[in-house]
Amino acid sequence: MVYGTDPAFRQAQHRLRVLANEKIDNIAGITNVKITPEYQKLLDYWKKGGEKPSKEFAKKALMQIADNYKFNNVEIKNDIIDAMFRQTTDGSTKPFKNLQAPGKISATDYDLGRMGSAYSDKDFINLWVSDPAKRSEWNSGNQLRNDAVDIYKSKDNQYYVGKTETGEWLQYTINAKSDKTYTFDIKYASNNDAKIRIEDASGKQLASVSLSSTGGNETWKTATVKGINLKKGENKIRIIFENDGINLNDFEVK
């Protein structure tokens, strides 16, 4: 699709070609360029056809996405940087974000670190071969973070951890304001009745939680579990999946 020889339009196209190594909405690079709704509309037209966008719309869309390539507009992928440098020699874990109790914690904010230290996932090797049928799985949702945990975007543009299997787990570093017993409200979805277990990093069980079926992968319910003891300061806890197919959205510590 060509919209003539407008200099600004051509400049936007050129900037996108020069920066082709920076991917839009990717999880593999140390930076990420956020897609815009206007650019997505152009992509949809190029791929699927339909109503042709106007020259003015296309020009504006390309200039917007080109502007998103400016360094002060890109998203810095700290998980990639941590994996490339610190994790090559250091097997410890670090917080992905400053998680506080009380507070709400996204399921995708599990710790930075190697497989087996920050998380455990059964599909943990990413081998890219020419035959698509022989490629191994990695983050099958291809969203947000570039490790073995499967992260998806929901219909309302929120991120969640999905495609979980029995025995997989996620670790979170939580800073508690005081020594006390907390309540966890866990937002989840599952097609079947299931269970999760909450432990500290040493393996001490803090709670066992029964989850009733929600009837759909994005039909969310909240399970409440009381009596989880956290000490003042840093706590490393693990959420362990005891059944396949539990989707975890977030949990609120009260």
Side-chain angles (χ1 to χ4, degrees):
M1 179 173 62
V2 178
Y3 285 95
T5 57
D6 183 274
F9 184 79
R10 287 194 322 227
Q11 181 185 29
Q13 290 179 310
H14 175 69
R15 288 173 68 186
L16 289 173
R17 286 196 297 268
V18 169
L19 296 167
N21 289 331
E22 296 279 358
K23 297 179 182 178
I24 297 173
D25 270 358
N26 83 105
I27 63 171
I30 62 172
T31 61
N32 176 47
V33 177
K34 291 288 189 180
I35 198 167
T36 65
E38 294 81 6
Y39 187 68
Q40 185 62 58
K41 188 173 180 179
L42 282 185
L43 293 180
D44 292 341
Y45 171 72
W46 290 333
K47 293 176 182 177
K48 304 173 186 176
E51 183 181 355
K52 181 179 179 179
S54 68
K55 172 183 173 180
E56 292 73 23
F57 181 91
K59 173 183 172 181
K60 181 179 178 182
L62 287 175
M63 292 300 289
Q64 283 177 333
I65 200 69
D67 193 61
N68 281 4
Y69 275 104
K70 292 179 180 178
F71 187 75
N72 59 328
N73 291 334
V74 299
E75 176 188 16
I76 306 300
K77 305 293 287 185
N78 290 320
D79 60 318
I80 299 292
I81 296 170
D82 189 70
M84 289 175 64
F85 296 98
R86 184 188 67 86
Q87 291 180 36
T88 58
T89 57
D90 184 349
S92 66
T93 62
K94 291 178 62 177
F96 181 71
K97 288 185 178 178
N98 182 19
L99 307 179
Q100 298 290 322
K104 181 175 284 189
I105 296 169
S106 172
T108 60
D109 289 344
Y110 54 91
D111 284 353
L112 295 167
R114 299 174 184 173
M115 215 290 292
S117 297
Y119 63 89
S120 180
D121 195 285
K122 293 185 178 179
D123 300 316
F124 64 92
I125 298 176
N126 185 19
L127 298 177
W128 193 259
V129 295
S130 58
D131 184 353
K134 296 180 180 179
R135 293 173 186 166
S136 63
E137 294 192 11
W138 185 246
N139 175 354
S140 61
N142 199 39
Q143 297 290 329
L144 202 63
R145 297 178 63 170
N146 188 31
D147 55 37
V149 178
D150 303 297
I151 299 176
Y152 296 84
K153 183 181 284 188
S154 66
K155 291 176 286 188
D156 58 355
N157 290 320
Q158 301 297 311
Y159 295 105
Y160 66 91
V161 173
K163 197 179 171 289
T164 58
E165 298 182 52
T166 303
E168 294 182 347
W169 51 263
L170 302 164
Q171 179 176 288
Y172 302 86
T173 299
I174 302 173
N175 291 296
K177 291 186 177 180
S178 60
D179 288 296
K180 62 176 289 186
T181 300
Y182 289 87
T183 296
F184 280 34
D185 285 343
I186 301 166
K187 185 177 178 181
Y188 74 97
S190 176
N191 282 308
N192 304 293
D193 292 344
K195 273 189 175 183
I196 60 172
R197 194 168 71 253
I198 302 175
E199 297 181 352
D200 64 20
S202 70
K204 178 183 177 182
Q205 180 169 307
L206 304 177
S208 180
V209 189
S210 295
L211 307 174
S212 61
S213 172
T214 68
N217 288 330
E218 290 191 35
T219 304
W220 304 102
K221 284 186 178 180
T222 299
T224 298
V225 55
K226 299 180 179 180
I228 298 180
N229 294 312
L230 299 180
K231 64 182 181 180
K232 183 178 180 180
E234 184 177 277
N235 297 264
K236 291 185 182 291
I237 69 157
R238 292 180 177 179
I239 293 181
I240 302 166
F241 301 98
E242 296 192 354
N243 301 89
D244 293 355
I246 303 168
N247 293 342
L248 185 62
N249 189 295
D250 60 48
F251 57 99
E252 185 168 4
V253 184
K254 299 179 177 178

